[in-house]
Amino acid sequence: MNKAQELRFYIEALCVYDLKKDEVISSLLNLLQNINNEKVLEKQSEFFRMVTSHKSFAEYVSGLILTDDNAFTKAAASDDLNALPESVINGVKSDLEKLEAIAFIKPEDIYNSVENEDLKNILKTLPAWETGKALSPLCTKWTEKIDALVQYHKTNGYGMYSKYVAFTWRNHSLYPINGTDPVLLSDLKNYEFQRQKVIDNTESFVNGYPSNNVLLYGDRGTGKSSTVHAVLNEYAKFGLRMIEISKSDIPDLNLIRELLSQSPMKFIIFIDDLCFDSHDDSFGELKAALEGSLSGRKHNTIIYATSNRRHLIKESFSDRENDINRNDIMQEQLSLSDRFGLSVTFINPDKKNYLDIIDKIAADRELHVNPEKLHLVAEQWASRKGGRSPRCAKQFIDFVESAEMRGKEW
């Protein structure tokens, strides 16, 4: 049996890591299946183009292994490997041995397997792809890396949850978000008391302790959404993931929870800038989803929402026509906001705290500027922006830093 035929059988015989549907692996399989006909030239060229769109083939294959969704990776992520039959572990070892051989295939393995000398000579003229190195922990002897893989999945998750930390919900499906807000907790200034409440609740949730759904409400630009993003970045390494949904997706909450119910990961379902009209149908659906705000140890979803309104409902003039109607609306407002077990208030800073935020961000950026001028222009900036806020402070420092870097006045 020549090398090409052996590797073809290896791909076709994969059991736990069924990677045949991957476009690059499929292209390689196509090449190996056409090793003794004229299509081999076309198939090798096609495979070369696909491989060279990535860093190297070994890195690509090892990346597929680390991000695969199968019985082993899911059990490893949930620290429940003992529940797997021994046959699955044996299947993993067998697949890893095959995949290591596949990952390090060389162009000479192809043309040495071709019997037609004319085809072989032309194959030798084609460029070679980069084999490269595999990703850690699959550096060498992949069959010996079971324990390392288990630890990897405990830390990083499995499947698409090991590749991405944030997702959006569209058309009843999850879509990964490639570029998330990189904000860190250390980037957010002041509001320590409010932020610590969110941090403590998130830590409880990640560790499987009772935790609450959270409403972050208050003035615009005070860091409500940034706090949620920073918490995700802080705890992603502990298995936390985020699903961002819009208000129009609230009717899908049960579907989302059902989809995630078998995952060992922990998920924040995030609704940003939440606000309802008084007769909005999704109002009642969110109330039902929030019923029983304490999440038990086995629950893996929690709702975090931000809003500029404490009671989440816009009132129209007609809603205020009589006291009875007014009272009903107030009761409705309270019935929703009270279902969030934890409500955290963010209000705009006064002048002293605003300038303190300015100074702290400037220090982080290592801006060596006149502090009196900085404060004077910062106040002018806030006046033009319509008020002081942490967002306003960050935008001002961005302006100052840019001007300083370009040697311009500000």
Side-chain angles (χ1 to χ4, degrees), residues 165-169 174 177 181 198 213-216 223-232 241-250 253 256 260 267-274 286 301-307 340:
V165 299
F167 304 82
T168 185
W169 182 258
L174 283 180
I177 298 175
D181 187 345
V198 182
N213 297 307
V214 182
L215 173 64
L216 301 87
K224 303 182 295 294
S225 300
S226 294
T227 295
V228 178
H229 295 151
V231 161
L232 171 65
R241 300 294 182 264
M242 183 178 291
I243 315 293
E244 185 167 10
I245 70 171
S246 65
K247 187 183 75 171
S248 62
D249 295 320
I250 287 174
L253 273 171
I256 295 169
L260 304 175
F267 297 90
I268 292 174
I269 299 175
F270 180 45
I271 314 171
D272 198 19
D273 198 19
L274 183 61
L286 181 57
T301 61
I302 198 168
I303 297 173
Y304 282 17
T306 67
S307 179
F340 286 94

Side-chain angles (χ1 to χ4, degrees), residues 188-195 353-354 356-357 360:
L188 304 175
K189 309 305 179 186
N190 297 6
Y191 297 89
E192 290 88 356
F193 176 75
Q194 292 91 332
R195 200 160 289 118
N353 282 317
Y354 169 69
D356 185 48
I357 293 170
K360 287 175 178 175

Side-chain angles (χ1 to χ4, degrees), residues 254-304:
N254 286 337
L255 176 62
I256 295 169
R257 284 171 160 170
E258 183 65 27
L259 178 68
L260 304 175
S261 63
Q262 299 303 312
S263 173
M265 314 296 288
K266 298 296 178 93
F267 297 90
I268 292 174
I269 299 175
F270 180 45
I271 314 171
D272 198 19
D273 198 19
L274 183 61
C275 185
F276 296 98
D277 295 321
S278 57
H279 304 293
D280 199 319
D281 290 340
S282 55
F283 178 87
E285 305 214 32
L286 181 57
K287 278 176 59 177
L290 292 168
E291 188 65 49
S293 60
L294 284 179
S295 299
R297 291 179 63 91
K298 293 183 179 179
H299 294 179
N300 69 336
T301 61
I302 198 168
I303 297 173
Y304 282 17

Side-chain angles (χ1 to χ4, degrees), residues 26-311:
S26 176
S27 177
L28 174 59
L29 180 58
N30 225 334
L31 167 61
L32 299 175
Q33 288 171 336
N34 287 277
I35 203 74
N36 280 316
N37 63 62
E38 292 182 3
K39 285 188 176 181
V40 68
L41 301 174
E42 175 190 344
K43 299 304 178 183
Q44 177 145 328
S45 297
E46 181 182 295
F47 176 64
F48 175 82
R49 286 192 296 272
M50 287 195 171
V51 171
T52 52
S53 66
H54 306 279
K55 288 185 179 179
S56 73
F57 190 50
E59 180 176 313
Y60 182 79
V61 175
S62 58
L64 290 179
I65 293 169
L66 296 178
T67 57
D68 196 44
D69 183 345
N70 60 56
F72 168 74
T73 57
K74 189 175 292 186
S78 60
D79 199 16
D80 196 24
L81 212 62
N82 291 334
L84 285 180
E86 188 177 351
S87 59
V88 174
I89 302 300
N90 291 334
V92 170
K93 292 178 181 178
S94 174
D95 281 1
L96 289 175
E97 182 178 10
K98 294 178 178 68
L99 285 165
E100 186 172 14
I102 293 164
F104 290 95
I105 186 174
K106 297 179 176 61
E108 51 264 35
D109 294 329
I110 302 299
Y111 61 72
N112 286 338
S113 301
V114 172
E115 296 174 358
N116 185 300
E117 289 298 325
D118 293 333
L119 290 176
K120 183 179 293 189
N121 289 334
I122 296 176
L123 280 170
K124 289 180 180 179
T125 69
L126 298 182
W129 56 81
E130 289 290 328
T131 301
K133 296 181 179 179
L135 296 171
S136 179
L138 298 172
C139 300
T140 58
K141 298 181 180 178
W142 292 9
T143 56
E144 298 178 7
K145 297 299 189 294
I146 298 291
D147 291 342
L149 284 173
V150 170
Q151 191 57 50
Y152 176 89
H153 292 298
K154 278 185 188 179
T155 304
N156 299 283
Y158 69 98
M160 65 178 177
Y161 305 123
S162 64
K163 191 174 183 180
Y164 304 98
V165 299
F167 304 82
T168 185
W169 182 258
R170 296 195 309 270
N171 301 320
H172 311 299
S173 297
L174 283 180
Y175 291 87
I177 298 175
N178 284 305
T180 57
D181 187 345
V183 64
L184 303 175
L185 289 170
S186 59
D187 296 330
L188 304 175
K189 309 305 179 186
N190 297 6
Y191 297 89
E192 290 88 356
F193 176 75
Q194 292 91 332
R195 200 160 289 118
Q196 192 59 48
K197 286 185 176 182
V198 182
I199 291 170
D200 290 343
N201 190 72
T202 306
E203 282 189 358
S204 292
F205 175 59
V206 168
N207 289 309
Y209 303 133
S211 50
N212 284 287
N213 297 307
V214 182
L215 173 64
L216 301 87
Y217 71 92
D219 297 319
R220 58 187 174 85
T222 48
K224 303 182 295 294
S225 300
S226 294
T227 295
V228 178
H229 295 151
V231 161
L232 171 65
N233 293 331
E234 179 71 20
Y235 293 97
K237 58 181 174 288
F238 300 110
L240 184 65
R241 300 294 182 264
M242 183 178 291
I243 315 293
E244 185 167 10
I245 70 171
S246 65
K247 187 183 75 171
S248 62
D249 295 320
I250 287 174
D252 287 345
L253 273 171
N254 286 337
L255 176 62
I256 295 169
R257 284 171 160 170
E258 183 65 27
L259 178 68
L260 304 175
S261 63
Q262 299 303 312
S263 173
M265 314 296 288
K266 298 296 178 93
F267 297 90
I268 292 174
I269 299 175
F270 180 45
I271 314 171
D272 198 19
D273 198 19
L274 183 61
C275 185
F276 296 98
D277 295 321
S278 57
H279 304 293
D280 199 319
D281 290 340
S282 55
F283 178 87
E285 305 214 32
L286 181 57
K287 278 176 59 177
L290 292 168
E291 188 65 49
S293 60
L294 284 179
S295 299
R297 291 179 63 91
K298 293 183 179 179
H299 294 179
N300 69 336
T301 61
I302 198 168
I303 297 173
Y304 282 17
T306 67
S307 179
N308 295 336
R309 295 173 179 268
R310 169 66 176 89
H311 298 307

